[in-house]
Amino acid sequence: MILYYGVTSYHMLCCILHKMTCHPKEEAQLFLSDTHPECGKLTASIRKSGIFQKAELFPDKGRMLPYKKEYQRNKTEEKLDYFIEDLCKKTEKDFPFNPEEITEYNICGDQYALGIWLIRRKKNYNFFEEGCGVYTRKHLLLENLARLNPFQYDMAAKCHCMGDYEGITKKYIEFSSQEGEFDRENCEDFSVKHILAGMEEQELGLVKDIFQVPEVSSMEGSDSVLLLTQQFVNMGFLTVRQEKELYDLMLDYFAPESMLYVKPHPSDWQGLYGDWYPDAVTLPRFMPSELLPYTSNGKFKTGITVSSTSIFGLEPYMENIICLDSSLEDHYENINWYYAVGQILDQGIREAESIRYEGKCPRLFKAVMPDIAEGGNLKVLVTSQRGEKPAEDLVIYLNEEGKNQIPEWMFEETDHLWPAAVCITDMESGWKGFHYIYIYSRQLQVLEALKKTEVKKQLNYSKKEVSMTPEKYQAQCRALEGMLNAANQRIEELLKEKKELERKFNQK
């Protein structure tokens, strides 16, 4: 008997497609983790299709929680080993199948109990990547796992989960969606979008029925934008209010006047997208995003998301993709002044030899970065680091923590320093907030050109205005420069006092 196991709707789609294409006439059982938010509905729908001889739930719910709580109290290697073995024993007792009858294991999500049991018992299995293109982007998943469950994160690392276990017989991953080069040993190109595109109408209809894929109007020729959401609230990373603020900003900057389609993550229960965006089309969370192309005969103009890898499986059906990484969860308000940085560079620099970035939100920086021609000898650094003076000619210190603790070397030539004030105005309450970006240029003429930058952007979803007008903020900038100079002078005085005390102490 062939066994399939998965945790998410995407996993179930992979299992279904693999069974239909690789084992169409062989008997197989499918098990869906009972942690899936609509596990009963989905297994019933799969069972009705008749693709598998058996489609049941696998008992995962609550299984990791006791270990998570105990492990967090005192993390040790011995305790980790003990918990992993205990997890395997308890999981085996609850198996809804007889391991002696299984001839082939096909596992989606080997960082869960069944995958851990297979690894610890040195059994072979076929591995499916967590999501489209995730095999080379597993850090995106691991970042969330480390925050959500440190025990499961450490266990996954120790057991070499997510495709690194040496006992994996075959790895099913989509080659074209991977990032950079990767080891293709034991790998097979398994492309969900290509399999779906090559299916007969009757087979495709069966898959669409399982996931209840709706029909929506054509997007062809329209300025349509697809927002793929994440389960931030469900994972405890954001509140409902913060999640709305994040998506409002994403839409303000990347889809301000577009026809909006929202596809909630299957576990994103808290998002009230119909209330938040009443003019948008909210698609059902029940189906995997990979089936979105079959809701309409058109293409989306743009796809936007934060850390949802599903978007990489939709590349042929979108003209543009904006996928920001999970760092934005804790820094989503950075979008406003990252945009201002992009405008400063766009309006003040015509060409540059190089532009280097050192910060917490690399994909956000890339998304707002203007297309500056290569040429000349100007080297630019955009950074959040306060280390030694870099070699670049133009340095933009992002002040990401908002503490205005600029690098000490910037005090050396204050006439080469410009604190650019970005103003965020709440259009409903009138509240104003400022974020200062510190710009240093070895070439004064470059600095003078940057100072002419003017920024004014209305954020309709967020109901805010972002602005930066040099004349308006001259007083604030001068005052802040004075404060910084005073602070620097006080530091120098303290250093002198310290040296004097050390000298007197050494004399004694």
Side-chain angles (χ1 to χ4, degrees):
M1 180 69 71
I2 299 170
L3 182 144
Y4 289 87
Y5 165 85
V7 181
T8 68
S9 296
Y10 175 78
H11 291 167
M12 291 297 98
L13 180 58
C14 288
C15 293
I16 290 166
L17 296 182
H18 187 271
K19 170 66 171 67
M20 294 176 74
T21 56
C22 298
H23 300 299
K25 296 182 180 180
E26 297 177 65
E27 291 190 356
Q29 300 177 352
L30 179 140
F31 293 95
L32 169 63
S33 172
D34 61 0
T35 59
H36 189 286
E38 296 184 272
C39 54
K41 178 181 176 181
L42 184 51
T43 50
S45 187
I46 295 172
R47 201 179 299 124
K48 184 180 177 181
S49 72
I51 295 173
F52 298 89
Q53 277 63 43
K54 184 178 180 180
E56 302 293 343
L57 298 181
F58 192 91
D60 282 323
K61 200 166 187 178
R63 194 172 290 280
M64 298 283 187
L65 189 58
Y67 303 110
K68 173 186 175 181
K69 290 181 177 179
E70 184 64 27
Y71 183 67
Q72 282 182 313
R73 292 193 187 102
N74 182 24
K75 296 181 182 180
T76 65
E77 194 72 19
E78 292 75 19
K79 184 171 284 190
L80 181 62
D81 283 329
Y82 175 80
F83 284 163
I84 291 174
E85 184 58 32
D86 189 62
L87 172 68
C88 290
K89 290 177 180 178
K90 290 180 178 177
T91 300
E92 190 170 5
K93 286 182 181 180
D94 295 335
F95 275 166
F97 60 86
N98 183 355
E100 295 181 1
E101 296 178 355
I102 305 304
T103 58
E104 177 181 308
Y105 288 95
N106 294 285
I107 304 298
C108 304
D110 62 358
Q111 71 274 24
Y112 292 87
L114 180 55
I116 298 298
W117 179 82
L118 289 166
I119 292 170
R120 294 291 282 198
R121 298 298 181 260
K122 295 182 169 37
K123 294 183 179 292
N124 302 116
Y125 62 90
N126 295 325
F127 165 84
F128 290 79
E129 63 177 334
E130 187 72 17
C132 182
V134 176
Y135 184 64
T136 52
R137 297 181 179 90
K138 63 187 71 175
H139 62 280
L140 296 176
L141 180 65
L142 290 169
E143 287 170 5
N144 286 337
L145 191 59
R147 296 169 63 186
L148 191 63
N149 190 335
F151 165 70
Q152 192 175 7
Y153 173 83
D154 287 352
M155 179 174 62
K158 186 176 184 66
C159 295
H160 306 289
C161 297
M162 301 185 195
D164 294 332
Y165 170 55
E166 61 182 9
I168 293 176
T169 305
K170 191 171 291 185
K171 303 176 187 179
Y172 293 106
I173 66 176
E174 181 166 309
F175 287 5
S176 63
S177 295
Q178 302 305 318
E179 190 173 55
E181 296 296 323
F182 61 96
D183 182 6
R184 301 196 180 195
E185 185 178 1
N186 298 332
C187 292
E188 183 170 315
D189 191 5
F190 186 82
S191 172
V192 168
K193 60 176 176 278
H194 291 155
I195 294 172
L196 289 170
M199 276 186 151
E200 298 291 337
E201 186 174 342
Q202 183 177 358
E203 290 181 323
L204 180 59
L206 187 62
V207 175
K208 290 171 68 176
D209 286 344
I210 291 173
F211 292 101
Q212 301 174 17
V213 178
E215 294 289 337
V216 299
S217 59
S218 173
M219 284 90 66
E220 198 69 55
S222 67
D223 189 16
S224 57
V225 169
L226 171 67
L227 169 64
L228 291 181
T229 79
Q230 258 291 10
Q231 51 172 333
F232 295 127
V233 177
N234 188 48
M235 292 189 292
F237 295 164
L238 297 175
T239 65
V240 174
R241 178 185 62 80
Q242 290 171 329
E243 184 174 70
K244 183 179 186 301
E245 289 175 348
L246 185 154
Y247 288 130
D248 282 350
L249 285 167
M250 289 282 287
L251 296 173
D252 278 325
Y253 282 101
F254 304 117
E257 298 177 354
S258 304
M259 179 58 199
L260 178 62
Y261 293 80
V262 181
K263 170 59 177 71
H265 186 281
S267 296
D268 183 7
W269 286 90
Q270 290 80 10
L272 306 172
Y273 301 105
D275 296 334
W276 295 348
Y277 312 119
D279 296 330
V281 175
T282 302
L283 298 161
R285 60 172 54 85
F286 185 67
M287 67 173 178
S289 300
E290 287 71 17
L291 291 172
L292 281 170
Y294 302 95
T295 63
S296 170
N297 60 356
K299 289 186 177 183
F300 294 103
K301 176 79 173 179
T302 304
I304 59 177
T305 188
V306 179
S307 71
S308 175
T309 56
S310 297
I311 204 163
F312 299 115
L314 298 172
E315 288 175 319
Y317 310 103
M318 298 176 178
E319 293 183 31
N320 305 299
I321 287 180
I322 298 170
C323 179
L324 304 185
D325 54 37
S326 58
S327 62
L328 198 67
E329 296 163 26
D330 298 322
H331 307 91
Y332 59 84
E333 292 182 344
N334 292 14
I335 292 179
N336 294 316
W337 41 272
Y338 265 59
Y339 167 76
V341 169
Q343 291 297 300
I344 290 170
L345 293 173
D346 189 37
Q347 296 180 35
I349 298 177
R350 293 183 178 180
E351 60 180 18
E353 180 181 335
S354 64
I355 297 178
R356 187 164 64 91
Y357 171 78
E358 297 177 337
K360 297 177 180 178
C361 305
R363 289 190 180 179
L364 173 59
F365 178 74
K366 184 178 180 181
V368 301
M369 184 65 193
D371 186 17
I372 296 176
E374 292 185 7
N377 56 8
L378 183 68
K379 295 180 180 179
V380 181
L381 171 64
V382 180
T383 181
S384 61
Q385 308 298 319
R386 296 200 312 269
E388 298 295 321
K389 186 175 183 179
E392 278 80 4
D393 308 290
L394 175 65
V395 181
I396 299 178
Y397 175 64
L398 294 168
N399 184 26
E400 292 205 75
E401 296 178 356
K403 295 181 179 179
N404 299 313
Q405 295 176 352
I406 69 173
E408 291 184 15
W409 60 264
M410 280 189 170
F411 289 115
E412 295 174 2
E413 300 174 274
T414 54
D415 56 331
H416 289 254
L417 176 64
W418 172 43
V422 182
C423 179
I424 316 297
T425 304
D426 189 306
M427 303 306 293
E428 294 183 326
S429 67
W431 174 88
K432 293 180 183 291
F434 292 88
H435 183 89
Y436 285 87
I437 301 164
Y438 298 88
I439 302 174
Y440 171 87
S441 176
R442 298 179 191 274
Q443 303 172 26
L444 288 176
Q445 66 272 26
V446 172
L447 190 64
E448 291 305 313
L450 297 178
K451 286 183 179 181
K452 297 177 182 178
T453 302
E454 294 198 25
V455 175
K456 190 171 185 179
K457 185 173 180 64
Q458 296 286 337
L459 308 179
N460 295 324
Y461 285 101
S462 304
K463 295 180 173 55
K464 289 181 173 61
E465 180 185 80
V466 178
S467 58
M468 193 179 77
T469 306
E471 292 80 7
K472 187 175 180 180
Y473 301 118
Q474 281 180 359
Q476 288 97 326
C477 290
R478 283 198 300 269
L480 190 59
E481 286 183 44
M483 291 168 59
L484 293 171
N485 287 333
N488 185 48
Q489 184 177 352
R490 178 57 180 153
I491 290 171
E492 289 180 357
E493 290 173 357
L494 289 171
L495 288 173
K496 288 179 181 178
E497 290 177 9
K498 180 184 176 184
K499 288 181 179 179
E500 181 63 20
L501 287 172
E502 289 177 345
R503 185 184 66 79
K504 292 179 178 179
F505 179 82
N506 291 332
Q507 286 178 346
K508 292 180 180 180

